C-alpha cells in the first residue's frame, strides 16, 4: 500500500483484511474509496456495493441497513451468479427480518462458496436466522458446522450471542 496507494486490487484486499480483523469502519472506508473511483473494471462498482452492504450490516444501524438494502439489490442485479453477492443479500435480508426470503440465498451461497471461510460465514448467518425463527437445534447445527469449517470465523461470536439470547431470553 505504501508503494501503490491507488492500486484497486490492493485497496480491495486491504478492505477484506480489515473485515477479517473486525475493523468494520476501516473496511467500509476502503470500499467507499473504490466505489467512488472511475474504475476500468466493469464489475468494480457492484462488487464494492456488495462489500459495503455486508460491512454495513456488521456495523448496524438503520441508515446503514437502508443503504445495505439498496447496495445489495444493485449488486444482485449486476452479479447474482456470484455466491458472495447472494450471501450478502441473504445477510441483509436477515438483518431486515426477512428470514424466509433470506434462507434460500444463504443456503445457495454456502453450497457454492469455494472457501471454507465464506461457507462458515454463511453458516453463521443461517444459524442466526434459524435462532430468530425459533429453530434452536438447527441453529446449533449450523453454528457447529461454521466452527468446523473455520474455527476463527469472525461471525461465530455473533451467532453464539443470538443463539444464547434465543435459548435464554431475558424478560
Amino acid at each position: 500500500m505504501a508503494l501503490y496507494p491507488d492500486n484497486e486490487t490492493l485497496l480491495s484486499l486491504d478492505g477484506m483484511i480489515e473485515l477479517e480483523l473486525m475493523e468494520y469502519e476501516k473496511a467500509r472506508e476502503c470500499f467507499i474509496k473504490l466505489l467512488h473511483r472511475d474504475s476500468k473494471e466493469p464489475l468494480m462498482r457492484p462488487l464494492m456495493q456488495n462489500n459495503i452492504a455486508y460491512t454495513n450490516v456488521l456495523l448496524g444501524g438503520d441508515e446503514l441497513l437502508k443503504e445495505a438494502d439498496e447496495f445489495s439489490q444493485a449488486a444482485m442485479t449486476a452479479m447474482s451468479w456470484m455466491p458472495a453477492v447472494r450471501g450478502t443479500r441473504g445477510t441483509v435480508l436477515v438483518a431486515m427480518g426477512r428470514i424466509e426470503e433470506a434462507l434460500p440465498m444463504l443456503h445457495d451461497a454456502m453450497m457454492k462458496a469455494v472457501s471454507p471461510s465464506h461457507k462458515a460465514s454463511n453458516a453463521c448467518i443461517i444459524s442466526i436466522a434459524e435462532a430468530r425463527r425459533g429453530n434452536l437445534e438447527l441453529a446449533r447445527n449450523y453454528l457447529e458446522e461454521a466452527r468446523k469449517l473455520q474455527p476463527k470465523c469472525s461471525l461465530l461470536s455473533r451467532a453464539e450471542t443470538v443463539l444464547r439470547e434465543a435459548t435464554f431470553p431475558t424478560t
Side-chain angles (χ1 to χ4, degrees):
M1 289 297 302
L3 292 174
Y4 304 102
D6 293 327
N7 183 288
E8 289 179 349
T9 302
L10 291 178
L11 274 172
S12 181
L13 287 173
D14 188 36
M16 298 307 290
I17 290 168
E18 297 294 354
L19 265 181
E20 285 297 313
L21 295 172
M22 294 186 280
E23 294 287 343
Y24 303 130
E25 288 285 351
K26 290 179 183 177
R28 189 171 186 278
E29 288 172 20
C30 289
F31 301 142
I32 286 174
K33 280 181 194 173
L34 288 166
L35 179 69
H36 295 298
R37 286 201 172 178
D38 203 16
S39 178
K40 291 181 174 123
E41 296 294 327
L43 295 178
M44 182 62 75
R45 182 168 180 76
L47 187 58
M48 289 310 106
Q49 287 174 315
N50 179 74
N51 292 351
I52 293 166
Y54 185 74
T55 306
N56 283 0
V57 169
L58 297 177
L59 284 166
D62 291 342
E63 282 302 309
L64 291 179
L65 186 56
K66 182 179 176 188
E67 182 182 67
D69 184 32
E70 292 170 19
F71 280 7
S72 67
Q73 285 181 54
M76 280 290 288
T77 298
M79 303 172 16
S80 64
W81 49 267
M82 191 173 183
V85 172
R86 296 181 66 71
T88 294
R89 183 65 186 152
T91 300
V92 170
L93 292 170
V94 168
M96 295 172 62
R98 294 164 52 186
I99 293 170
E100 299 303 322
E101 194 178 342
L103 283 171
M105 284 185 207
L106 290 164
H107 285 288
D108 183 60
M110 184 177 170
M111 183 182 69
K112 292 178 180 172
V114 176
S115 79
S117 176
H118 289 163
K119 286 181 182 293
S121 294
N122 286 307
C124 283
I125 301 299
I126 293 169
S127 175
I128 289 169
E130 293 297 352
R132 289 184 179 158
R133 287 198 321 172
N135 296 331
L136 303 183
E137 191 59 35
L138 196 51
R140 282 186 201 90
N141 291 343
Y142 276 99
L143 182 59
E144 286 310 310
E145 179 69 17
R147 195 173 279 118
K148 287 176 192 171
L149 287 163
Q150 179 62 283
K152 295 185 182 204
C153 177
S154 62
L155 297 179
L156 283 171
S157 62
R158 279 179 193 250
E160 289 165 348
T161 298
V162 171
L163 181 57
R164 186 172 38 258
E165 289 171 354
T167 305
F168 305 107
T170 56
T171 52

